[in-house]
Amino acid sequence: MSSVPVFEEFEPAPDCGCPGCARHRRDLALGLPVRAGGHPAAHGARRALVLVTAAGAVLGGGGATGIATALAPAAPADAAGAAGAARGTDTPQGGRAPLHGPPAAQADGVPTPGAVPTTSQISAETLRKTTRTEIINRAKTWVAVQVPYSMEKYWSDGYRQDCSGYISMAWNLRSNEWTGSLDRFAVRIDRTELQPGDILLFHNPANPTRGSHVTIFGGWTDYTHTAYVAYEQTKPRTRKQATPMAYWENSSRYVAYRYKGLAGGGSGAGSGATTPPTGTAAYPGGAKFGPGANNAHVTRLGRMLVQRGARRFYVTGPGPRWSEADRRATQAFQRAQGWKGAEADGLPGPHTWMLLVSGQGKDIGGSSGSSGPSTDANGFPGRGSFRLGQSNAYVEKLGKQLVKRGFGKHYLSGPGPRWTEADRRNVEAFQRAQGWRGAAADGYPGPETWRRLFR
């Protein structure tokens, strides 16, 4: 009996430069299966070819037993494979898709699935606004209920139960994205700028179904910045776990990104929404601060902190060698802004530095107006006063000034002390009147908004 040719799938070596391997890697990236964003017709043709080939091999010399073998499900992964999956190294994912369930709104600024969007097609103005706190709180909901990992199933909120679906949910996107498209909803940042709600993304263009993964940054585990709290969707279910920077495998290939629709918010290391005023010294980088640091930037930091009410923390100095006094003074300043947790870790980030060098934010002890609303144009009480659920005199003062300046059309009643969507929309209108766009006109007042409104 003549032999029947057997066709096998093969995986080209990632470092092989021969034309055959290079072309096959290209075909893998362009001809993805449907679950990874490929075209359904191409997937159907490939599936038919595999079935016909298998049937030919069976009929050529296998009989009924051969057919049963060919169509039998694959054997379970071995113990080593299971261990790798448990650690999160095996995270295949689905492709771009609408939310599952009732018809969902079209994706933010993105063409219909199948088209390849460009960065210019997704602007910050078209995205749903959210805060760091809201991102982390949404991430925690899946951790709490232990959502099982699946690249094909969807959770009750409409998001796919894989790593990229998890980010789509946490960022409150209007569609299920994948590792090949999430960067279009974000701006790339340096790892030293990471703050809760940012992501660490590895997309493998040679074969997106192998190795590609994404996690949510939840904060550093300690001052060394060698590990962080990662929120991620991986096998077998959603988890929150201390993770080496940037991940267990392919660590050097993970890129840090920040959601374009981020709405302000106090952040010790910077939210990316506030630009330092012209003429202020640029942030020297996180490596200049912390245990072992000895440089002029530490001295300057200490002096600025003393000017803002931190004298009691220093027995001597400030000086160029980083000390516990510097950490405690920095933390006191961060807490004075209303920041908590990882945002008040005592290590100065870009936002902390910007507030200090520009003289903005609240002094330690609340000397900029913690006892009541300040009538001083520079008495900005901190971003934490203007958030959903907040009720204080600063909100009412802001609203009355907006009305006075002709930006109160969204109030149906009031203004009052409780922060509402009407307050946000009126602030946004005022910010846009200054010529600001994107994150600079998110409807949440910052120091410069406050200064211009009351000047």
Side-chain angles (χ1 to χ4, degrees):
M1 180 180 294
S2 61
S3 62
V4 177
V6 177
F7 297 94
E8 297 180 282
E9 291 285 352
F10 71 96
E11 182 66 26
D15 57 351
C16 179
C18 78
C21 283
R23 179 173 181 177
H24 193 73
R25 283 195 299 269
R26 217 168 31 247
D27 291 343
L28 282 173
L30 297 175
L32 298 176
V34 175
R35 63 175 181 270
H39 197 283
H43 174 66
R46 185 165 56 251
R47 177 180 174 85
L49 176 60
V50 171
L51 290 177
V52 168
T53 304
V58 170
L59 293 175
T65 303
I67 294 176
T69 303
L71 300 182
D78 57 21
R87 198 170 64 174
T89 57
D90 181 19
T91 53
Q93 59 181 312
R96 297 187 61 247
L99 297 187
H100 190 71
Q106 181 57 44
D108 298 290
V110 185
T112 55
V116 179
T118 62
T119 303
S120 62
Q121 291 174 313
I122 305 177
S123 61
E125 288 82 357
T126 66
L127 300 177
R128 289 173 172 169
K129 295 297 184 286
T130 189
T131 65
R132 296 188 182 282
T133 300
E134 291 168 345
I135 291 172
I136 296 300
N137 284 341
R138 280 194 291 270
K140 288 179 178 178
T141 60
W142 278 28
V143 174
V145 296
Q146 296 285 278
V147 175
Y149 185 92
S150 175
M151 58 184 288
E152 298 170 341
K153 295 181 180 179
Y154 295 80
W155 195 240
S156 56
D157 53 18
Y159 292 96
R160 192 176 54 248
Q161 296 167 213
D162 59 11
C163 63
S164 47
Y166 185 48
I167 305 303
S168 302
M169 179 276 297
W171 279 2
N172 199 25
L173 302 182
R174 293 191 176 96
S175 57
N176 281 287
E177 297 300 320
W178 71 307
T179 56
S181 62
L182 282 170
D183 64 321
R184 297 185 174 96
F185 295 81
V187 292
R188 183 169 179 171
I189 61 174
D190 190 84
R191 289 186 185 181
T192 61
E193 301 176 59
L194 279 165
Q195 282 294 295
D198 298 335
I199 64 170
L200 285 157
L201 171 69
F202 167 45
H203 178 65
N204 180 11
N207 188 352
T209 63
R210 287 178 178 264
S212 298
H213 191 45
V214 60
T215 70
I216 298 174
F217 181 86
W220 299 108
T221 57
D222 58 31
Y223 69 87
T224 65
H225 289 194
T226 56
Y228 67 103
V229 175
Y231 292 86
E232 61 176 325
Q233 182 68 358
T234 186
K235 295 179 179 179
R237 59 186 63 86
T238 322
R239 73 182 181 188
K240 171 188 175 184
Q241 177 174 296
T243 304
M245 174 55 61
Y247 203 65
W248 309 95
E249 296 179 1
N250 299 303
S251 179
S252 63
R253 303 176 71 181
Y254 277 76
V255 180
Y257 286 97
R258 176 165 297 151
Y259 179 52
K260 286 180 181 178
L262 195 64
S267 169
S271 66
T274 305
T275 303
T278 303
T280 60
Y283 176 61
K288 298 296 183 182
F289 307 101
N294 188 345
N295 55 73
H297 299 294
V298 176
T299 303
R300 182 178 185 188
L301 171 74
R303 290 173 178 172
M304 291 190 294
L305 287 167
V306 167
Q307 292 175 354
R308 303 301 293 272
R311 166 55 66 187
R312 68 180 185 272
F313 295 101
Y314 293 94
V315 177
T316 60
R321 186 177 296 280
W322 180 268
S323 67
E324 178 63 12
D326 295 302
R327 190 196 68 78
R328 292 176 61 199
T330 302
Q331 186 177 54
F333 178 75
Q334 292 168 333
R335 287 178 174 173
Q337 315 313 309
W339 307 342
K340 306 292 182 184
E343 296 181 341
D345 58 3
L347 295 171
H351 194 192
T352 299
W353 184 263
M354 185 276 293
L355 292 179
L356 286 170
V357 298
S358 64
Q360 298 177 359
K362 297 184 68 175
D363 291 344
I364 297 171
S367 58
S368 66
S370 61
S371 60
S374 170
T375 57
D376 189 328
N378 294 321
F380 179 61
R383 298 176 186 272
S385 299
F386 310 100
R387 288 292 180 267
L388 187 64
Q390 291 295 311
S391 181
N392 55 68
Y394 296 112
V395 174
E396 187 170 13
K397 179 186 177 183
L398 172 79
K400 289 179 178 179
Q401 187 68 5
L402 285 166
V403 171
K404 183 178 178 180
R405 296 290 298 274
F407 294 91
K409 70 177 183 179
H410 294 292
Y411 290 120
L412 298 179
S413 62
R418 182 172 296 280
W419 178 262
T420 66
E421 177 63 11
D423 293 300
R424 193 198 67 77
R425 294 178 68 187
N426 285 329
V427 172
E428 181 181 26
F430 175 78
Q431 291 170 330
R432 289 184 177 276
Q434 313 308 304
W436 303 341
R437 295 294 183 268
D442 58 7
Y444 295 94
E448 183 61 17
T449 298
W450 188 270
R451 184 185 72 80
R452 293 195 183 197
L453 186 61
F454 286 94
R455 69 183 177 185

